[in-house]
Amino acid sequence: MTAGVIAQAMEERAAGDGVASLPAERALLEAVRRVMRRPAGWRALVVHVSRLPERRPYHGRIARALLEEAAPRVDGQIHALSSGDLLLFCREDTRALRGLVAVLERLFPENLVSLWSLENEALNLIAYAAGRLSEATQVSSPASLAEKSPGFGRLLDPPPTPDPPPLAALMRRESGIRLARGRMTLAFRNWRLDPALLAGWDAGGTGADPALLRHHLGSLDGDVLAALIAAAGTGLPLDPVPHRAHFSAWAGEPPPPLHLHLSLAGVMAADFSSLASLCRENGVALAVVLAFEEVCADPKTLEAARRVIATSGALFALDGIHAETFACAAPAALGPDFLILDLSPALAERSARDVSRLLYPLGGDQIVLRGADDEAALAWGVARGISLFQGRHAAAMAAAARMFACPSAQNCSLGQCITRAAAAAPEGRFGCAEPALLDGARPPPEREGGKA
């Protein structure tokens, strides 16, 4: 018996089993019969959301969003079933389809994503559809269906969630310092969406899964770019190119470079070019910080993103480099302008010669040592020729320089200055009488050399 005949028999049986009252299963049945007439060149992609051991509503919403994004590029049609599973009929073996499958397999546990060629594996689809029909017809009413499958019917209309906080409340501003020739200066401003803050807001949601959390962070890149463009010239905490009047602490010098964490999709967005243009016109050096894990997973998009970065006059930085990274990869070979290296006990055991070998051909002024939380960490980096630092101790040194330059420092503590400088929302700066200094670590002329 051919697959097409089986599909027709299934439809005839289902007609008497009450499947007509289940629009999702009915639509799947009709689609199976239609594609089986000419199966060549078609595939069925199934995300088995119903098999998740600890299923939450956000699993289905994220899978649905990924399928909807890819469907136009693969000539696809999506079916959301009462079990929570999602099925996409699409053209066979396209680059877009392979990319979608790769993302889904990274986000969901093993064996929860199936891809069948309808020309050679049609019986797998038939068996799957038969199983879903059998389950659906055992449900006596829509009420019991909702009880059996929480979240069904809410993929298009998801359940209400707490209103997200303002974007600035999810962002973190950090200072990067440079130690060279016995002097400390502000090397760059580092801005990123903070995974801990996002996970705290979305407790029990995407914060429960690191992979889905990274995807959620990337989906907010468009909002981040729009917010930075809107803040340009206002002197607010998220102003990427503050007017010189708001930057009196820099005595006419350009604002410090901006290191902005984005996903590959964020770099390819139209607003990125607009932001890069704003920075270029105002003399702000912009560096795009990309996650090493993401660029390794999508080399084709990385190639396109690097062309956009270069055309925009921006620099390219790699984040997420750990001691363990060097066991299987050579991140410096990607040729970043900056490499952000996470300090850990395993890395601290490496000798100066070993570190230089791992980071070759990058120089010490291209390595940012993150995790500079005490004097020992700074000493370790300096001994290995590293001059750029981020961490609690680096933030305290930058705050001490600001307080030396601040005429109102007697009213503040070092901890308050550190906290206010990290805030991306205006209310986070409440109590600071010299907010322009929060973006600078160099004293203005009248305070240089300790003069009032």
Side-chain angles (χ1 to χ4, degrees), residues 13 75 103 108-109 113 136 246 351 420 422 443:
R13 177 178 177 180
D75 193 16
V103 171
F108 292 93
V113 180
H246 297 295
S351 66
R420 289 164 180 166

Side-chain angles (χ1 to χ4, degrees), residues 54-76:
E54 296 183 5
R55 177 180 163 196
R56 294 184 175 88
Y58 73 83
H59 286 115
R61 294 199 295 272
I62 289 180
R64 176 78 187 221
L66 289 170
L67 294 186
E68 286 183 339
E69 180 183 4
R73 293 181 283 134
V74 296
D75 193 16

